[in-house]
Amino acid sequence: MSDCIFCAIVDGDIPGRIVHETEHTLAFLDANPLAPGHTLVVPKEHHARLDEVPADAAADLFAAVNDLVPRVESAVDADATNVGINDGPAAGQEVDHVHVHIVPRFEGDGGSPIHAVAGERPDLSDEELDDIEASISG
């Protein structure tokens, strides 16, 4: 996609601090990091939403994340890591290209757990939870 910043990095049209590359995946340091070592892992092919990524590319994407988490933690001496995907604008996705955030975390850094992302928690009944379970599992 011609106006996608991540596609431009993949194509080499704009520089990126590349830390990992495979046939289907590219990983680079975030230009606006939330923490030292904040890394983005993207499929090389443009896909806006996670369910659009072909299975082989998705497998490669998550294999790269699995490989990179301990390497990123080690590089910046992090105590832990948040791994996240904002899948769609309502979830806070700002770049219309699938990307996985690897955000190193440090004791006392003031960050919050992933549960803080969603705002107020819903009060769901057992029946509602059963309906959701059935709908997801098919």
Side-chain angles (χ1 to χ4, degrees):
M1 201 170 212
S2 64
D3 61 342
C4 175
I5 191 166
F6 293 165
C7 287
I9 293 170
V10 167
D11 293 341
D13 296 336
I14 59 175
R17 288 185 169 85
I18 309 302
V19 298
H20 184 83
E21 184 171 8
T22 68
E23 178 183 352
H24 298 289
T25 303
L26 189 72
F28 48 91
L29 296 181
D30 192 309
N32 298 298
L34 297 174
H38 182 172
T39 300
L40 299 176
V41 187
V42 305
K44 286 183 173 179
E45 198 172 284
H46 184 89
H47 300 286
R49 300 289 303 269
L50 192 56
D51 64 349
E52 298 171 5
V53 179
D56 59 338
D60 193 64
L61 180 75
F62 287 101
V65 170
N66 189 60
D67 178 55
L68 284 164
V69 166
R71 290 171 45 196
V72 170
E73 285 183 4
S74 178
V76 298
D77 199 27
D79 298 307
T81 303
N82 284 120
V83 176
I85 300 171
N86 300 318
D87 194 30
Q93 184 179 8
E94 296 177 321
V95 177
D96 191 29
H97 186 127
V98 170
H99 54 289
V100 180
H101 292 264
I102 299 174
V103 182
R105 297 291 305 274
F106 304 89
E107 287 294 328
D109 66 7
S112 299
I114 198 75
H115 285 87
V117 171
E120 196 170 316
R121 295 181 187 191
D123 183 21
L124 300 171
S125 68
D126 285 341
E127 183 178 309
E128 289 170 310
L129 291 169
D130 291 342
D131 289 346
I132 294 169
E133 175 191 21
S135 181
I136 291 171
S137 64

